[in-house]
Amino acid sequence: MGVAHTSNGSGQWSRRGVLAALGAVPAVVLANRSGSANASEGAAQKTATFTTESRTEPFVGHVTPEAGSTSGVGMPVSINFTHAVTNKAAVEKAITVTAEPAVEVVGHWFSDTRLDFRPEAYWASGTTIRLGLRLKDVEGADGFYGVQREDLTFHIGREQISTVDLYSKMMTVRRDGATVATYPVTGGDAKYATWSGIMVISERVEQTRMKSSTVDLGDEYDIPDVPHAQRLTISGTFIHGNYWAHPSVFGHVNTSHGCVGLRDVQGGNDGSMDGYKFYESSMLGDVVIVENSGEATVDAANGLNGWNLSWEVWKAGSALQRS
């Protein structure tokens, strides 16, 4: 299937996975100014106080991943701002991302509201990442000021990189450099080919509903209980369990509307199934690489998929590199 209609009914990228908001939006700040008026000389002095409101608005950055969490080696530090940022250099300068073991980390603006940070290659297993937000009183745009001053820490777990070859219809899972599993899969058919390229798991749900109408495919499918779904793109590409396809298609025929499917059972409660085993072995931030799909490389902004940009192109997206 091609897209999930998340359980909250909003059709938006679920906060369950990677869009955890950090802190409440502060109240609007009002600036008051006073003046006085004096009567003519010799008359009683009168003072009038005039109050004007010079309104400033706060902007906040919502950070992915969640503070204190452990993610796979492909997880960037992604910040989504509540207001478009025009003073990008000042905002980026007020944010630091460091890693232990040390590695160069650079920011890249995907839009006026999204700034991601990553190193040249995947994070090393066991890395500790520290994010410093010094946005308080930084003017991100005309009349919009930051309010955050905080330090957050994230961790990187073991390395798991899975490669889906849609020519052979097989997926190879490597953990810390060693092959730990191979699974037969089915991918997008010729009409709905799966995106190729490097993708990062950004959301995980044990069961979700997938409807073709949410991606303008009419009434082709509506499956209320897709098991073991892991999101790879904002637009709706998942790797998930599949119980409705005949077992013979896995490893032999690409039949989906763009997702990658692994054999599973309805209810997802059979631990011997490939969909179950892959889900249990995965975490947010794990890398899934799709090859030989017949489709173009996924847009780097379509999910947490900035690894599809070269290091030179990535660094060129930093406002500090240009300033």
Side-chain angles (χ1 to χ4, degrees):
M1 297 303 101
V3 69
H5 183 76
T6 54
S7 58
N8 63 14
S10 67
Q12 300 297 314
W13 200 356
S14 171
R15 292 164 71 90
R16 181 200 319 275
V18 297
L19 295 183
L22 298 179
V25 177
V28 170
V29 178
L30 300 180
N32 297 324
R33 297 175 182 173
S34 302
S36 63
N38 296 323
S40 60
E41 186 176 357
Q45 187 178 40
K46 297 180 180 180
T47 302
T49 300
F50 301 95
T51 302
T52 60
E53 293 184 351
S54 177
R55 185 178 294 271
T56 63
E57 300 282 355
F59 75 91
V60 172
H62 297 311
V63 179
T64 299
E66 294 185 24
S69 64
T70 297
S71 304
V73 298
M75 178 64 77
V77 176
S78 184
I79 306 175
N80 285 267
F81 297 102
T82 55
H83 187 274
V85 174
T86 56
N87 194 358
K88 291 183 172 66
V91 169
E92 188 175 340
K93 187 177 181 180
I95 300 171
T96 58
V97 180
T98 58
E100 180 59 42
V103 64
E104 182 185 14
V105 182
V106 176
H108 180 96
W109 290 89
F110 281 110
S111 69
D112 290 343
T113 58
R114 177 178 167 189
L115 171 63
D116 284 15
F117 291 85
R118 50 155 271 213
E120 181 174 5
Y122 304 134
W123 306 101
S125 178
T127 294
T128 296
I129 303 166
R130 293 181 174 85
L131 169 66
L133 296 173
R134 298 296 181 268
L135 294 171
K136 184 173 175 59
D137 299 327
V138 174
E139 188 173 24
D142 187 23
F144 286 82
Y145 289 84
V147 294
Q148 291 163 292
R149 182 179 178 86
E150 54 189 321
D151 296 291
L152 307 173
T153 300
F154 322 106
H155 305 282
I156 300 298
R158 83 290 178 273
E159 178 190 76
Q160 181 165 299
I161 300 173
S162 302
T163 302
V164 177
D165 184 339
L166 289 181
Y167 178 78
S168 67
K169 290 89 174 171
M170 296 294 294
M171 177 171 70
T172 302
V173 182
R174 293 178 63 84
R175 181 175 292 181
D176 296 324
T179 299
V180 294
T182 56
Y183 300 115
V185 300
T186 184
D189 63 18
K191 186 176 180 181
Y192 304 108
T194 305
W195 290 115
S196 66
I198 303 168
M199 288 171 265
V200 172
I201 295 175
S202 59
E203 178 187 7
R204 306 177 71 241
V205 287
E206 292 187 358
Q207 182 172 290
T208 193
R209 182 180 184 182
M210 294 190 177
K211 296 180 63 177
S212 56
S213 60
T214 63
V215 286
D216 299 324
L217 294 180
D219 299 324
E220 290 199 25
Y221 60 84
D222 183 357
I223 303 175
D225 56 352
V226 177
H228 300 129
Q230 303 188 85
R231 184 184 289 273
L232 301 178
T233 69
I234 298 171
S235 61
T237 307
F238 282 74
I239 184 165
H240 60 72
N242 180 324
Y243 65 80
W244 52 90
H246 192 276
S248 64
V249 307
F250 299 97
H252 297 285
V253 186
N254 290 322
T255 61
S256 84
H257 290 80
C259 290
V260 176
L262 298 99
R263 190 177 177 189
D264 215 325
V265 296
Q266 191 168 17
N269 55 4
D270 186 341
S272 70
M273 290 289 101
D274 293 344
Y276 182 104
K277 289 187 285 188
F278 181 65
Y279 185 88
E280 289 298 310
S281 75
S282 301
M283 65 170 57
L284 294 173
D286 279 350
V287 176
V288 177
I289 303 170
V290 175
E291 300 176 341
N292 300 318
S293 71
E295 183 56 279
T297 300
V298 65
D299 189 286
N302 187 4
L304 301 177
N305 300 327
W307 302 103
N308 291 288
L309 300 179
S310 71
W311 188 231
E312 290 72 22
V313 171
W314 182 269
K315 290 192 296 183
S318 166
L320 300 183
Q321 298 286 325
R322 301 191 300 266
S323 61

